[in-house]
Every structure is written in structure tokens, then in C-alpha cells.
């Protein structure tokens, strides 16, 4: 038969248990809701995954190369127009360009859009179809207030391959184009640098509409 513990020892056991509970309660713990408290390697891996996903989406979208300014071939008298100083990056790319310089010298249909815009989603296929018709002018998209991954995913889904820029200051772009805060928006950039907004129709349904709109505004 086991002997009873001395009175002093019997009191010491519960006291030690209480101390152990307090130590566990006060021990610093990682906050699972705050990713900044996670291991640095985990955070870095997440950022790397984002870049890898962007590269994968850019490859899947297979967009045509975005226009770039070619100083050696650009005439000294070239007019870069209202878009001078507005910078952007080709979707999926890292190089920042001046839209005024990149788009100057060639008639261009500029379409301002976003992946979250329902009407944009509806007219993108018409823009892609127009770009492949005879006598079509260059088509360039400018994605605004959006994420590059979402934009590339949508273009891939819709099978649209015309070049599109992103990562631009939407407020500065709207100011340069004197554009209202709505989407989508389409503009005709003329070779002389002047820009006209296309208002009829408000959104495109088929390539024939785009041909008529461009013809009406082209000098």
C-alpha cells in the first residue's frame, strides 16, 4: 500500500500545475490571421508563386507584343498627343513605356477596359475579330483598376490576342482622354496625335460596327 505524500508536497503539486498553465498562456504565439508574422521563407514563396502565376497566364494568353517607341525610326515631328507622359506596362511584362510615344504615328483603336466590367467582356471578342479583318487598324487595350492576373485570365478565356497594357494610372489616363468614369471606353488615335472618343455604339457587337466607327472619325 503506497504511503500518503507529506502535506507540503501535496500542496506543491497543484501550485506547479498552475504555474505551468500560466507559462503556456503567456508564451508568444504566431497570429495565424496575420501573414506578416509567418516565416520569411513562406512569405517569399508566396510572392514567387504570384510571379510564376503571372508568367504562366501571360504565356497562355499569347498576346501580340505591345507597341513600343522606336526612337531611331520616329520622325522628329511626330506628335505623341494627349497620352504623352502616361506610362503603362504590357500585360505580363515588366518594362514601363510612355503610351504617347509607343502609340504615336499609326492609327490605333484604343479600348479601355477591366476584367470586372461586364460590357467589356461582351465586346472583347468583337475587337479580336475586327483586328483580323481586312483594312483593320491597330487595336490596343488598356486595362485599368484591375489585376494583371485577372486581366490575362479573361483574355485567355475569350481567346483575345491583340496587345493590351496594364499597370497604369487610371485617373491620369481618364484626364488625358477627357473620359467619363465608365467602362468600356473606345478611342480613335489618329496619325497626327489627335484622339476622338467613339460614342456610337457605346459598346461593339461585331467588327462591322468598328469599321464604321473608325471610318466616320478618320480624316
Amino acid at each position: 500500500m503506497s504511503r500518503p505524500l507529506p502535506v507540503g508536497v501535496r500542496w506543491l503539486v497543484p501550485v506547479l500545475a498552475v504555474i505551468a498553465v500560466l507559462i503556456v498562456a503567456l508564451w508568444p504565439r504566431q497570429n495565424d490571421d496575420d501573414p506578416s508574422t509567418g516565416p520569411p521563407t513562406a512569405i517569399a514563396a508566396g510572392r514567387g508563386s504570384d510571379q510564376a502565376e503571372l508568367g504562366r497566364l501571360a504565356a497562355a494568353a499569347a498576346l501580340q507584343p505591345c507597341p513600343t517607341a522606336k526612337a531611331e525610326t520616329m520622325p522628329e515631328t511626330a506628335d505623341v498627343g494627349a497620352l504623352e507622359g502616361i506610362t503603362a506596362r504590357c500585360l505580363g511584362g515588366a518594362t514601363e513605356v510612355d503610351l504617347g510615344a509607343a502609340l504615336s504615328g499609326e492609327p490605333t483603336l484604343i479600348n479601355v477596359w477591366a476584367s470586372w466590367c461586364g460590357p467589356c467582356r461582351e465586346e472583347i471578342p468583337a475587337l479580336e475579330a475586327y483586328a483580323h479583318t481586312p483594312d483593320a487598324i491597330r487595336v490596343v487595350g488598356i486595362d485599368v483598376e484591375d489585376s494583371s492576373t485577372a486581366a490575362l485570365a479573361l483574355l485567355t478565356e475569350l481567346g483575345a490576342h491583340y496587345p493590351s497594357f496594364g499597370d497604369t494610372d487610371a485617373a491620369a489616363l481618364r484626364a488625358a482622354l477627357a473620359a467619363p468614369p465608365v467602362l468600356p471606353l473606345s478611342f480613335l488615335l489618329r496619325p497626327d496625335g489627335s484622339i476622338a472618343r467613339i460614342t456610337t455604339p457605346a459598346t461593339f457587337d461585331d467588327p462591322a460596327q468598328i469599321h464604321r466607327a473608325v471610318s466616320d472619325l478618320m480624316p
Side-chain angles (χ1 to χ4, degrees):
M1 185 174 184
S2 62
R3 298 174 56 188
L5 294 172
V7 174
V9 174
R10 280 183 287 172
W11 278 103
L12 181 60
V13 171
V15 168
L16 290 175
V18 171
I19 292 173
V21 171
L22 289 174
I23 291 173
V24 172
L26 295 175
W27 192 263
R29 290 179 293 176
Q30 177 178 315
N31 182 359
D32 292 336
D33 294 331
D34 183 1
S36 66
T37 61
T41 52
I43 295 174
R47 290 172 181 165
S49 298
D50 290 343
Q51 290 301 318
E53 177 66 3
L54 184 61
R56 184 188 70 79
L57 288 170
L63 302 184
Q64 296 173 13
C66 288
T68 57
K70 298 178 176 61
E72 66 277 7
T73 59
M74 184 181 296
E76 295 183 2
T77 57
D79 189 344
V80 294
L83 293 177
E84 181 180 11
I86 306 298
T87 60
R89 293 183 179 87
C90 198
L91 280 179
T95 303
E96 192 172 77
V97 301
D98 184 297
L99 289 176
L103 300 180
S104 67
E106 181 179 337
T108 304
L109 175 64
I110 299 172
N111 182 256
V112 185
W113 66 285
S115 65
W116 44 262
C117 161
C120 301
R121 176 186 292 267
E122 294 174 5
E123 78 169 359
I124 285 174
L127 291 165
E128 174 68 14
Y130 165 79
H132 296 283
T133 59
D135 301 323
I137 64 172
R138 179 173 62 185
V139 177
V140 171
I142 302 179
D143 179 53
V144 296
E145 299 174 339
D146 204 357
S147 73
S148 295
T149 52
L152 286 167
L154 178 61
L155 294 177
T156 301
E157 175 188 337
L158 298 177
H161 304 292
Y162 55 83
S164 206
F165 289 97
D167 294 323
T168 190
D169 185 333
L173 179 67
R174 291 185 190 279
L177 296 173
V182 297
L183 290 177
L185 292 164
S186 291
F187 300 85
L188 174 64
L189 172 64
R190 303 184 183 98
D192 64 0
S194 63
I195 298 177
R197 181 184 166 200
I198 298 173
T199 57
T200 305
T203 58
F204 297 120
D205 295 324
D206 61 69
Q209 289 178 323
I210 305 175
H211 276 289
R212 287 194 296 269
V214 170
S215 178
D216 290 344
L217 294 174
M218 192 71 76

